[in-house]
Amino acid sequence: MDLKILSLATDKTTDKLQEFLQTLKTDDLTNLLQSRAVKGRAVGAFLRAIFKGFPCSDEDGALRRSKIYCCCIQLVESGDLQQEVASEIIGLLMLEVHHFPGPLLVELASEFVDAIREDSLVNGKSLELLPIILTALATKKEVLTCGKGDLNGEEHKRQLIDSLCSVRWAQRHVIQLTSMFKDVHLTAEEMELVVAKVLAMFSKLNLQEIPPLVYQLLVLSSKGSRRSVLDGIIAFFSELDKQHSEEQSGDELSELVTAPADELYHVEGTVILHIVFAIKLDCELGRELLKHLKAGQQGDSRKSLCPFSIALLLSLTRVQRFEEQVFDLLKTSVIKSFKDLQLLQGSKFLQTLVPQRTCVSTMILEVVKNSVHSWDHVTQGLIELGFILMDSYGPKKVLDGKAVEIGSSLSKMTNQHACKLGANILLETFKIHEMIRQEILEQVLNRVVTRTSSPINHFLDLLSDIIMYAPLILQSCSKVTETFDYLSFLPLQTVQGLLRAVQPLLKVSMSMRDSLILVLRKAMFASQLDARKSAVAGFLLLLKNFRVLGSLSSSQCSQSIGVTQVHVDVHSRYNSVANETFCLEIIDSLRRCLGQQADVRLMLYEGFYDVLRRNSQLANSIMQTLFSQLKLSYEPEPDLLPPLKLGACVLTQGGQIFLQEPLDHLLSCIQHCLAWYKSKVIPLQQGEEREEEEEGLYHELDDMLESITIRMIKSELEDFELDKSADFSQSTSVGIKNNICACLIMGVCEVLIEYNFSISNFSKSKFEEILSLFTCYKRFSDILNEKAGKGKTKMTSKTHDSLLSMKFVSDLLSALFRDSVQSHEESLSVLRSSSEFMHYAVNVALQKVQQLIRRGHVSGPDGQNPDKVFQNLCDITRVLLWRYMSIPISVEESGKKEKGKSISLLCLEGLQKTFSAVQQFYQPKIQQFLRALDVPGPEEEGEEAGITVTQRAAFQIRQFQRSLLNLLSGEEEDFNSREALLLITILSALSRMLEPSSPQFMQMLSWTAKICKEYSQEDASFCKSLMNLFFSLHVLYKSPVTLLRDLSQDIHGQLGDIDQDVEIEKTNHFAMVNVRTAAPTVCLLVLSQAEKVLEEVDWLITKIKGSVNQETVSDEMTADGDRNAGQVHQKDASSQARPPNLLIEKAIIMQLGTLVTFFHELVQTALPSGSCVDTLLKDLSKIYSTLTAFVKYYLQVCQSSRGIPNTVEKLVKLTGSHLTPVCYSFISYVQNKRSNTPKCTDKEKAAVGTIMAKVLRETKPIPNLVFAIEQYEKFLIQLSKKSKVNLMQHMKLSTSRDFKIKGNILDMVLREDGEDENGEGTAPAHTEQDREPAKKKRKICLS
């Protein structure tokens, strides 16, 4: 039978074939077809013959053809056929689809939908037919009558797709179904339906099935809905990451994240690759991604930026056309994130409204951590981002050798955080990825070498961290050795930082060390001074870090060794005997420096002490070198005065005078090395035999210092050839030489004071010698102060830094102020009897702390050691605090006869500086610092650990509060403004240590409020400091708008009204606001606070605007896909997200309403001309701009179903009644003040010119204000139309722009101008100056 069918099919006509087939039952045909198909016997030819015999023109034939078609589909799905047979059948079925009539196509497609619903498809091979069927159906333009109503083919297709997306898809067919849709022509609505359905299926699949599905979805997105596709993929992986992090935290998990981390991150990496590949083929997809993420920045960035989307962006940087845009977006996101974080941390008002969010920097570092899972496509982007952040936001300027930031404090902090993030990205990437280590290191070193004019401390810190992490890996790095060749050409600071950073490598790599030594030896004889200084710095560093056998351990010499050295010592073995030879060679090289310029010698003297402490076995060589150098300037005759050859220390060359030998620093170095050797080395050598030569050297040095002391005391001014009649001017060579000699003598006296104190053992005679040395020092100091004046040279100003060590200063202050030991009483009374010496000691302490603040380190021994400096800082602070609290300034000044600051006031200045230094450099050690200020009793020591920073700071605050209260409670003429200012500064510093939620913070706030309310002081600077403190505390408690309103009422009451006929009832909320302080002090302060409040409100408006935009987008998507349960759920979530916005809206309305009443008071105040009027006009423009932004927000809100709350209407009414009318009155007041300027005589013209220039500056903001008001009214009109609420009923439209020229007044003014010009013909110099006011007068005629 089957053979007959095949033979009939070969005929030219189909009549016989049709007749024969009519005789057969459909079941027989299907059985026959099934038999041939299973056996694989020419099934294609047989199937073609059957379709040929059942033409679609015949209704019965079409039905039978449809049954055969269905049978074939079942055969293909059964899985009984061979692959080739099934493919052949599918190919034939595809060709036959277009012959079917419309109703049968609908029926076929419906069967597919049913099969998918019932999950009856076995392998899904037949799904290849569905897109062909749907495409054929869409071409049927005629109305098709079938079970689903009378619809045309396109409408049927739409219904079928709708049905298909609403049924449950079997997990195994999701990818096939998604792939199928790419062959179907879809409208935008259909596309959204399909995309929503596929995205909803993500959560039902295994992780390994996600990448191929994403690939198919991306192919499908070329038809449209690109943003929805990207949004869905990003949201899915963002949720996965979130759940995975919760799993790691031990929280209960959904079944989604049962996969291990490796699998999840590998899947994410594959998906990112698919997306980037799709973007390369379809640039529109990339543009949509960037648009989507930029839009997310404006609103809630949690919806757009997450670790996955950041990794995707970084991978996208490999596409050249998007590289710059992506990095700009990431930079903006990082900076915005840091700014938002700082804004939130500084405002309790914002903290209550906006929850703390994950910072973008945390997400980026998470991407770095995840990139270990074969994310090679992300690492290059990470490196570039790290360097971009460090280059863009690193310090830009160098001042006094220290990098400084430019700009406001907020931008400084933000830039520092961004730069630090860049360094962290690079460091963590370096640790994880071995392949790119070389590239990171090269780029860092390139920046170190090439950026000689800009600060590179941040790159040196990164280099140090990199090397510390992997010294053994980098020991053979040629790039580091190449960098050494540039040392001679780099600034000294860069060389020191670079050598400190690479020091661990020098310990593990002999070849690198040898390369460095060669470079340093060449630099030692370079023509440039900086190159020679770099060589000295390098050699000193090597001496410090290559320990010689037998040297004291770090614990014995109290040397703080960094983590770097410890890390390297663990990993390296170095030969101490070889080190000794090596170090002695270096010392021999350094001896040659002693014949070079003073700057080179100075570096050597300052560095030898640290070398000695680190390498005690080199003591003999170093001390011998120093001893030989001292002998060149020492007079050995015991009776010869002066004891030192000062003339040999000064060099005359080419008519110029230079310091040749910094003798004071040489003596200082000897004194400190000697003291350290006696205290650390000699006690350990007791019982051991010491070399006589070595011992003799130290005795001889002691004798020399003793002899110098005695002879310096005996020396008179004339012995030094310096007296009050000597020339000290900076314009003559003799004067410069005398200045240098005087500074050397002062330095020597300081060194001898410290030496004698260290060996005194509280001997009275030694203390008398110290006082005599100080008298010598004072004589020269007084002469220099008297004669030298302001024209100090660079050299003399440099040597004016005290040579006393910080440790000695702290010991001296403790002895002078705190030592109560009976046996010390008599000797200390010698020093205590000299108030000048006491002043000097405190002044030097202040100088040391100021050095720390300015440079980050202190001059003298241990000045570069942060731990030692901190310990000394604690000791100094404790003594100064005790002295100030024990003897108040008022008590001391009442009995004081000499001029100048009292010791107590100096102590208070010192306290202000120490608190500032600790917060700047030792933030993590504040607990330790505050503990050091309290001296606990024996019973309290056990409780020490439980006391918090807040409690300790509160204790100190109470002491200073008492001092300030005593000062304010005294007589007004006894009020010490300087003391009050210092107390406020200290209280501000201490209050920053308080926890804002603590009762101690509330006590501080209420105490400050009480002072402001109850005490009246006319000192403007004190008032400003106190009010600043008050506001800084109040913003951490709640918004200060009510304070601003009260203060504005006080200012209005004190200064009067712009309408002189109106009598103001004075309010007295704050006694600190009086006639002298109200303007400009308090007025400018409250205006700056109002600006900050407006900034916060603007930030909130931007935030809720963004969320409204996102809600609108999600609502539109939801409306298209309401048939899907997943989409309905999204809509519910979207509607539930609105109450927080309502809360924020209410808060904004409250803020703006209170600010309107604040400005209502100020614009009616008779403010004096100047900055107050100028700032007020600018701030009025700002509040109108903020109000306009808020109105625009409600224009967006009105697009949804929500209307306008009553509170908005009340706010608009308030602006219409309380702000806009008085703004115009204030503008008239400012203009009238200008027009009422009295006429002046010729002699007063210059003064008038200045006044008129100020008035012109004040009136410049007026047009901006008028424009801001009109913009506000314009958008109010639009909102009234949209909301159907008449908001303009409360507003009176202004007519300020309707000008009318009054001819009679204009003629009068012009005549006056003509008379003025005739009278000034002889004074051409003043013509231009006086013509300007005349021009401005003409504007008065325009009303």
Side-chain angles (χ1 to χ4, degrees):
M1 185 167 54
D2 50 349
L3 294 173
K4 186 173 182 181
I5 292 171
L6 287 168
S7 65
L8 288 172
T10 57
D11 294 347
K12 289 183 180 178
T13 60
T14 58
D15 297 341
K16 291 181 180 179
L17 177 62
Q18 287 179 23
E19 286 173 16
F20 181 70
L21 289 175
Q22 289 293 339
T23 61
L24 299 174
K25 291 181 181 177
T26 307
D27 291 343
D28 294 338
L29 277 174
T30 55
N31 290 334
L32 197 59
L33 177 63
Q34 187 172 352
S35 171
R36 290 186 72 89
V38 170
K39 292 174 183 176
R41 288 165 49 198
V43 69
F46 184 68
L47 195 54
R48 270 194 293 274
I50 292 174
F51 285 140
K52 194 175 181 182
F54 290 134
C56 286
S57 53
D58 178 18
E59 188 177 340
D60 182 56
L63 280 171
R64 295 189 71 181
R65 171 189 280 251
S66 173
K67 287 179 182 176
I68 297 293
Y69 203 95
C70 291
C71 172
C72 288
I73 290 171
Q74 288 167 7
L75 271 173
V76 169
E77 282 297 324
S78 67
D80 298 333
L81 306 185
Q82 295 173 11
Q83 185 70 30
E84 298 82 5
V85 175
S87 298
E88 188 180 5
I89 292 173
I90 290 291
L92 281 169
L93 295 181
M94 283 179 178
L95 293 172
E96 295 298 326
V97 167
H98 290 280
H99 301 302
F100 278 98
L104 287 177
L105 286 172
V106 173
E107 198 175 310
L108 278 172
S110 298
E111 285 188 18
F112 268 107
V113 173
D114 292 339
I116 291 165
R117 180 188 291 115
E118 293 161 10
D119 192 15
S120 58
L121 297 176
V122 177
N123 55 24
K125 179 79 176 169
S126 61
L127 285 174
E128 293 175 29
L129 296 171
L130 186 54
I132 312 293
I133 295 169
L134 291 172
T135 304
L137 183 58
T139 59
K140 307 293 181 187
K141 302 298 180 191
E142 70 275 10
V143 174
L144 307 174
T145 305
C146 53
K148 296 195 177 184
D150 297 340
L151 305 169
N152 65 23
E154 185 64 43
E155 289 166 342
H156 271 295
K157 186 196 82 170
R158 158 75 187 180
Q159 273 202 352
L160 286 163
I161 289 174
D162 199 349
S163 303
L164 188 58
C165 290
S166 61
V167 302
R168 184 177 177 277
W169 292 2
Q171 188 175 325
R172 63 186 184 281
H173 297 317
V174 173
I175 295 169
Q176 283 173 296
L177 285 165
T178 308
S179 174
M180 172 206 82
F181 279 110
K182 72 175 183 286
D183 298 322
V184 181
H185 175 72
L186 299 171
T187 63
E189 288 181 0
E190 291 167 352
M191 189 68 197
E192 284 292 344
L193 269 177
V194 172
V195 167
K197 176 63 181 178
V198 176
L199 290 172
M201 292 305 298
F202 271 34
S203 57
K204 308 288 192 297
L205 300 180
N206 296 325
L207 267 178
Q208 293 300 334
E209 293 176 298
I210 300 290
L213 179 58
V214 167
Y215 177 79
Q216 295 300 335
L217 195 55
L218 289 167
V219 173
L220 184 61
S221 72
S222 60
K223 294 173 175 288
S225 297
R226 292 176 179 85
R227 186 174 292 197
S228 301
V229 168
L230 291 168
D231 189 18
I233 294 169
I234 291 170
F236 173 73
F237 282 106
S238 175
E239 187 61 27
L240 268 186
D241 285 337
K242 186 179 167 187
Q243 290 178 344
H244 196 272
S245 62
E246 284 173 5
E247 180 188 41
Q248 289 176 330
S249 308
D251 293 341
E252 195 174 326
L253 255 205
S254 70
E255 60 205 26
L256 283 179
V257 198
T258 51
D262 285 4
E263 187 182 356
L264 172 63
Y265 297 133
H266 277 108
V267 165
E268 285 184 358
T270 310
V271 167
I272 289 170
L273 279 174
H274 283 328
I275 296 173
V276 173
F277 180 70
I279 289 172
K280 284 179 182 175
L281 299 175
D282 179 12
C283 291
E284 192 57 40
L285 192 65
R287 281 192 281 272
E288 280 298 330
L289 175 65
L290 290 174
K291 272 187 208 169
H292 169 68
L293 294 174
K294 280 177 185 172
Q297 262 193 342
Q298 302 304 316
D300 188 352
S301 54
R302 283 177 301 176
K303 294 182 181 176
S304 52
L305 275 182
C306 59
F308 177 80
S309 61
I310 291 170
L312 174 56
L313 281 172
L314 289 168
S315 191
L316 186 59
T317 56
R318 298 194 304 166
V319 182
Q320 192 174 357
R321 69 188 301 165
F322 293 114
E323 183 180 7
E324 194 177 334
Q325 295 176 60
V326 167
F327 283 129
D328 284 344
L329 174 61
L330 286 169
K331 267 172 64 178
T332 311
S333 300
V334 166
I335 288 296
K336 183 177 181 297
S337 176
F338 282 130
K339 280 182 179 173
D340 290 354
L341 196 63
Q342 282 191 278
L343 205 62
L344 279 168
Q345 287 172 348
S347 170
K348 184 69 176 177
F349 166 69
L350 291 179
Q351 288 169 20
T352 54
L353 290 171
V354 182
Q356 193 80 22
R357 299 186 304 210
T358 306
C359 188
V360 173
S361 60
T362 311
M363 297 180 192
I364 294 174
L365 291 173
E366 197 173 320
V367 171
V368 177
K369 190 178 74 176
N370 295 346
S371 67
V372 73
H373 302 282
S374 306
W375 286 12
D376 298 339
H377 44 93
V378 173
T379 49
Q380 196 59 43
L382 280 170
I383 295 170
E384 287 182 51
L385 177 64
F387 280 113
I388 284 170
L389 290 175
M390 290 190 78
D391 291 338
S392 304
Y393 302 112
K396 296 286 185 287
K397 195 178 174 186
V398 178
L399 188 68
D400 286 339
K402 184 184 171 190
V404 291
E405 296 282 355
I406 308 163
S408 67
S409 58
L410 182 68
S411 64
K412 277 187 214 168
M413 290 292 291
T414 304
N415 288 355
Q416 285 169 8
H417 287 315
C419 180
K420 184 66 181 165
L421 172 63
N424 286 340
I425 290 169
L426 291 169
L427 179 61
E428 295 305 314
T429 309
F430 182 90
K431 290 178 180 178
I432 291 171
H433 300 282
E434 288 183 25
M435 297 298 290
I436 45 82
R437 283 178 179 171
Q438 190 75 14
E439 184 186 344
I440 292 175
L441 189 65
E442 280 188 21
Q443 289 207 42
V444 172
L445 288 171
N446 286 342
R447 283 163 171 79
V448 169
V449 170
T450 57
R451 300 192 179 178
T452 52
S453 57
S454 56
I456 51 161
N457 298 349
H458 48 308
F459 287 112
L460 289 172
D461 292 341
L462 173 61
L463 179 64
S464 178
D465 291 339
I466 284 172
I467 291 173
M468 185 167 68
Y469 174 74
L472 296 173
I473 297 169
L474 299 174
Q475 63 177 311
S476 57
C477 179
S478 60
K479 187 68 184 174
V480 179
T481 313
E482 285 170 28
T483 308
F484 291 157
D485 295 336
Y486 299 98
L487 287 183
S488 304
F489 311 103
L490 297 177
L492 178 62
Q493 260 206 318
T494 302
V495 172
Q496 289 175 318
L498 177 61
L499 292 178
R500 271 197 297 270
V502 301
Q503 171 245 314
L505 294 181
L506 303 177
K507 287 194 169 184
V508 293
S509 172
M510 292 292 287
S511 61
M512 199 172 282
R513 189 180 77 177
D514 294 342
S515 302
L516 176 62
I517 289 170
L518 277 174
V519 170
L520 294 177
R521 279 181 176 157
K522 285 180 190 173
M524 187 78 83
F525 301 101
S527 57
Q528 300 92 354
L529 177 63
D530 271 0
R532 297 200 297 278
K533 288 166 78 174
S534 297
V536 172
F539 279 135
L540 286 171
L541 192 80
L542 290 170
L543 285 176
K544 274 188 276 186
N545 290 298
F546 284 86
R547 299 279 303 283
V548 177
L549 190 66
S551 291
L552 298 185
S553 66
S554 57
S555 59
Q556 287 172 311
C557 63
S558 310
Q559 165 73 359
S560 172
I561 303 174
V563 181
T564 308
Q565 292 116 348
V566 174
H567 193 87
V568 173
D569 288 350
V570 169
H571 288 287
S572 64
R573 292 177 60 213
Y574 53 88
N575 188 326
S576 296
V577 178
N579 279 352
E580 183 170 10
T581 311
F582 168 68
C583 289
L584 291 173
E585 278 179 23
I586 291 177
I587 290 177
D588 194 43
S589 298
L590 288 174
R591 282 198 185 107
R592 297 171 196 170
C593 297
L594 295 173
Q596 295 190 9
Q597 285 96 330
D599 282 358
V600 179
R601 299 185 193 192
L602 198 61
M603 282 195 69
L604 207 53
Y605 299 152
E606 288 176 347
F608 267 154
Y609 176 74
D610 280 339
V611 171
L612 190 68
R613 283 167 27 102
R614 188 84 175 93
N615 249 334
S616 58
Q617 284 296 307
L618 299 175
N620 197 32
S621 301
I622 290 172
M623 294 306 286
Q624 192 67 54
T625 305
L626 294 171
F627 176 64
S628 304
Q629 193 68 12
L630 178 59
K631 280 168 74 175
L632 298 175
S633 305
Y634 176 69
E635 293 284 5
E637 291 295 325
D639 299 326
L640 201 61
L641 298 180
L644 300 166
K645 301 171 187 174
L646 294 178
C649 298
V650 183
L651 176 70
T652 306
Q653 194 174 33
Q656 289 187 305
I657 308 293
F658 299 101
L659 176 66
Q660 173 75 5
E661 176 64 81
L663 186 58
D664 48 355
H665 284 84
L666 171 60
L667 272 173
S668 176
C669 180
I670 290 171
Q671 184 263 314
H672 287 123
C673 290
L674 201 56
W676 180 83
Y677 192 80
K678 286 178 185 175
S679 63
K680 300 293 180 185
V681 180
I682 292 176
L684 295 173
Q685 290 180 341
Q686 285 176 355
E688 297 177 17
E689 288 187 15
R690 284 181 284 167
E691 292 182 20
E692 285 183 23
E693 183 189 340
E694 189 178 325
E695 202 167 332
L697 172 66
Y698 296 115
H699 282 309
E700 195 167 347
L701 280 170
D702 268 328
D703 292 343
M704 286 173 80
L705 289 171
E706 190 66 38
S707 173
I708 294 170
T709 300
I710 294 164
R711 285 190 279 168
M712 283 295 287
I713 292 167
K714 289 179 183 176
S715 299
E716 298 293 332
L717 289 174
E718 290 75 14
D719 296 324
F720 297 106
E721 297 178 8
L722 299 170
D723 56 23
K724 291 191 177 180
S725 61
D727 180 10
F728 282 94
S729 69
Q730 299 294 325
S731 54
T732 64
S733 56
V734 175
I736 293 171
K737 182 180 178 181
N738 289 343
N739 261 297
I740 293 172
C741 289
C743 290
L744 282 175
I745 294 164
M746 287 164 62
V748 168
C749 288
E750 285 191 312
V751 172
L752 294 173
I753 286 171
E754 183 167 348
Y755 170 73
N756 282 283
F757 188 90
S758 67
I759 63 168
S760 67
N761 198 18
F762 291 90
S763 154
K764 185 177 179 181
S765 60
K766 279 292 173 191
F767 281 4
E768 285 169 350
E769 286 178 7
I770 288 171
L771 208 54
S772 302
L773 286 166
F774 172 70
T775 307
C776 178
Y777 170 89
K778 189 79 171 63
R779 280 204 300 265
F780 285 99
S781 174
D782 289 344
I783 290 172
L784 282 183
N785 290 337
E786 183 184 333
K787 295 285 181 93
K790 293 181 181 177
K792 296 186 177 77
T793 62
K794 190 176 180 185
M795 181 58 71
T796 54
S797 65
K798 188 186 286 186
T799 51
H800 277 179
D801 277 353
S802 174
L803 287 180
L804 300 181
S805 67
M806 197 173 184
K807 175 75 171 72
F808 168 67
V809 172
S810 80
D811 291 345
L812 179 61
L813 289 177
S814 299
L816 290 174
F817 297 136
R818 294 299 307 269
D819 196 325
S820 54
V821 179
Q822 193 66 39
S823 58
H824 299 170
E825 190 70 34
E826 186 184 354
S827 54
L828 281 171
S829 64
V830 174
L831 298 179
R832 288 170 180 167
S833 63
S834 169
S835 63
E836 285 185 339
F837 184 74
M838 307 264 276
H839 270 83
Y840 163 73
V842 179
N843 268 318
V844 174
L846 262 67
Q847 188 193 91
K848 292 290 176 186
V849 181
Q850 189 60 42
Q851 268 182 15
L852 176 64
I853 292 168
R854 196 174 68 248
R855 302 176 191 168
H857 59 86
V858 180
S859 61
D862 296 325
Q864 304 269 3
N865 184 334
D867 294 332
K868 294 273 185 182
V869 172
F870 175 71
Q871 189 55 53
N872 293 330
L873 201 60
C874 292
D875 296 339
I876 289 171
T877 310
R878 185 168 59 246
V879 176
L880 296 180
L881 182 62
W882 180 88
R883 175 64 172 75
Y884 173 72
M885 291 301 171
S886 304
I887 307 174
I889 293 172
S890 54
V891 174
E892 188 176 356
E893 290 193 339
S894 61
K896 192 178 75 161
K897 295 177 184 176
E898 68 273 8
K899 292 179 182 178
K901 295 176 182 175
S902 65
I903 292 175
S904 288
L905 187 58
L906 286 173
C907 288
L908 193 60
E909 281 186 24
L911 288 169
Q912 181 259 318
K913 285 179 168 54
T914 54
F915 282 121
S916 170
V918 167
Q919 287 196 318
Q920 188 175 342
F921 297 103
Y922 298 103
Q923 193 70 33
K925 291 187 171 184
I926 281 181
Q927 169 81 294
Q928 200 176 328
F929 172 72
L930 292 173
R931 192 189 306 136
L933 300 188
D934 301 333
V935 183
E939 69 281 354
E940 294 173 14
E941 285 185 8
E943 302 169 14
E944 280 286 291
I947 303 174
T948 62
V949 170
T950 295
Q951 290 168 324
R952 291 185 189 281
F955 173 74
Q956 299 300 338
I957 284 169
R958 285 194 293 276
Q959 295 191 75
F960 290 107
Q961 283 176 338
R962 280 196 295 272
S963 299
L964 186 58
L965 275 175
N966 292 338
L967 194 61
L968 291 169
S969 304
E971 296 295 323
E972 195 164 332
E973 59 270 14
D974 296 335
F975 181 73
N976 187 326
S977 174
R978 178 66 185 151
E979 182 185 2
L981 278 173
L982 288 168
L983 284 168
I984 292 293
T985 311
I986 291 168
L987 285 169
S988 298
L990 285 167
S991 67
R992 286 194 286 274
M993 301 177 191
L994 298 175
E995 180 60 42
S997 57
S998 64
Q1000 290 88 348
F1001 180 87
M1002 291 308 300
Q1003 185 274 332
M1004 178 69 187
L1005 175 59
S1006 56
W1007 180 86
T1008 313
K1010 185 182 176 186
I1011 296 290
C1012 293
K1013 287 176 180 177
E1014 295 179 7
Y1015 290 89
S1016 179
Q1017 276 295 333
E1018 294 187 349
D1019 188 287
S1021 53
F1022 171 71
C1023 174
K1024 184 179 178 181
S1025 296
L1026 182 65
M1027 295 299 284
N1028 266 325
L1029 171 61
F1030 184 32
F1031 277 117
S1032 68
L1033 294 169
H1034 201 279
V1035 291
L1036 296 174
Y1037 168 59
K1038 64 177 182 180
S1039 177
V1041 282
T1042 50
L1043 280 186
L1044 295 176
R1045 184 189 59 206
D1046 293 347
L1047 283 163
S1048 66
Q1049 290 170 0
D1050 289 352
I1051 294 169
H1052 193 183
Q1054 292 292 341
L1055 298 179
D1057 200 87
I1058 54 176
D1059 185 350
Q1060 294 177 356
D1061 300 332
V1062 175
E1063 199 170 318
I1064 301 296
E1065 183 186 342
K1066 284 192 179 183
T1067 56
N1068 194 20
H1069 297 110
F1070 293 92
M1072 200 52 72
V1073 181
N1074 51 51
V1075 178
R1076 283 182 180 272
T1077 60
T1081 307
V1082 178
C1083 180
L1084 288 176
L1085 230 162
V1086 294
L1087 284 170
S1088 73
Q1089 289 296 326
E1091 282 178 32
K1092 288 177 185 174
V1093 174
L1094 284 171
E1095 186 188 347
E1096 290 176 3
V1097 171
D1098 279 334
W1099 185 81
L1100 284 173
I1101 292 171
T1102 306
K1103 178 179 167 50
I1104 57 177
K1105 260 187 185 175
S1107 60
V1108 163
N1109 287 340
Q1110 291 194 343
E1111 279 176 20
T1112 309
V1113 171
S1114 67
D1115 283 348
E1116 284 170 7
M1117 287 171 59
T1118 304
D1120 292 333
D1122 277 348
R1123 299 166 188 85
N1124 300 312
Q1127 299 304 101
V1128 173
H1129 175 70
Q1130 278 186 13
K1131 186 173 183 181
D1132 291 344
S1134 165
S1135 62
Q1136 285 169 7
R1138 286 176 183 161
N1141 267 14
L1142 292 173
L1143 203 67
I1144 293 172
E1145 286 169 24
K1146 187 178 175 184
I1148 290 172
I1149 292 164
M1150 289 294 291
Q1151 295 291 92
L1152 289 174
T1154 316
L1155 279 179
V1156 166
T1157 59
F1158 160 75
F1159 282 113
H1160 169 74
E1161 292 289 342
L1162 280 188
V1163 291
Q1164 294 181 88
T1165 305
L1167 294 171
S1169 293
S1171 52
C1172 290
V1173 172
D1174 195 23
T1175 310
L1176 178 56
L1177 287 168
K1178 286 176 184 172
D1179 286 356
L1180 284 167
S1181 298
K1182 281 181 185 172
I1183 192 172
Y1184 274 108
S1185 300
T1186 305
L1187 286 163
T1188 306
F1190 199 43
V1191 169
K1192 286 179 181 176
Y1193 163 72
Y1194 274 106
L1195 280 169
Q1196 283 182 323
V1197 168
C1198 282
Q1199 290 175 2
S1200 62
S1201 56
R1202 288 175 60 197
I1204 294 178
N1206 292 334
T1207 45
V1208 174
E1209 203 175 337
K1210 287 177 184 175
L1211 177 63
V1212 173
K1213 183 178 179 181
L1214 191 66
T1215 57
S1217 60
H1218 276 62
L1219 192 57
T1220 307
V1222 287
C1223 276
Y1224 286 116
S1225 304
F1226 187 68
I1227 290 170
S1228 304
Y1229 164 74
V1230 173
Q1231 290 177 325
N1232 289 336
K1233 280 184 78 174
R1234 182 188 67 176
S1235 62
N1236 292 336
T1237 306
K1239 290 206 170 188
C1240 307
T1241 63
D1242 288 344
K1243 291 179 181 179
E1244 295 169 328
K1245 293 289 183 183
V1248 169
T1250 308
I1251 294 167
M1252 295 309 288
K1254 185 194 283 187
V1255 171
L1256 178 63
R1257 189 175 68 249
E1258 284 177 5
T1259 52
K1260 270 186 180 177
I1262 290 175
N1264 294 338
L1265 173 57
V1266 173
F1267 176 74
I1269 294 171
E1270 291 181 354
Q1271 283 292 102
Y1272 172 55
E1273 290 169 351
K1274 171 187 163 185
F1275 284 101
L1276 270 182
I1277 292 167
Q1278 289 183 23
L1279 185 59
S1280 298
K1281 288 175 182 174
K1282 220 163 207 182
S1283 63
K1284 307 293 188 290
V1285 177
N1286 184 12
L1287 297 170
M1288 294 306 293
Q1289 64 181 330
H1290 313 298
M1291 307 295 290
K1292 181 186 176 186
L1293 284 174
S1294 59
T1295 55
S1296 284
R1297 298 244 178 166
D1298 297 337
F1299 298 114
K1300 180 182 176 185
I1301 297 174
K1302 297 180 180 177
N1304 55 342
I1305 298 176
L1306 181 62
D1307 290 339
M1308 185 177 71
V1309 173
L1310 289 171
R1311 279 197 300 276
E1312 284 178 9
D1313 288 351
E1315 288 169 12
D1316 288 347
E1317 283 170 15
N1318 292 335
E1320 289 163 15
T1322 57
H1326 293 287
T1327 305
E1328 287 301 317
Q1329 196 178 30
D1330 299 330
R1331 194 175 295 156
E1332 187 66 33
K1335 283 180 188 172
K1336 292 183 209 105
K1337 281 182 185 175
R1338 289 192 193 106
K1339 291 183 186 175
I1340 301 158
C1341 307
L1342 308 176
S1343 63

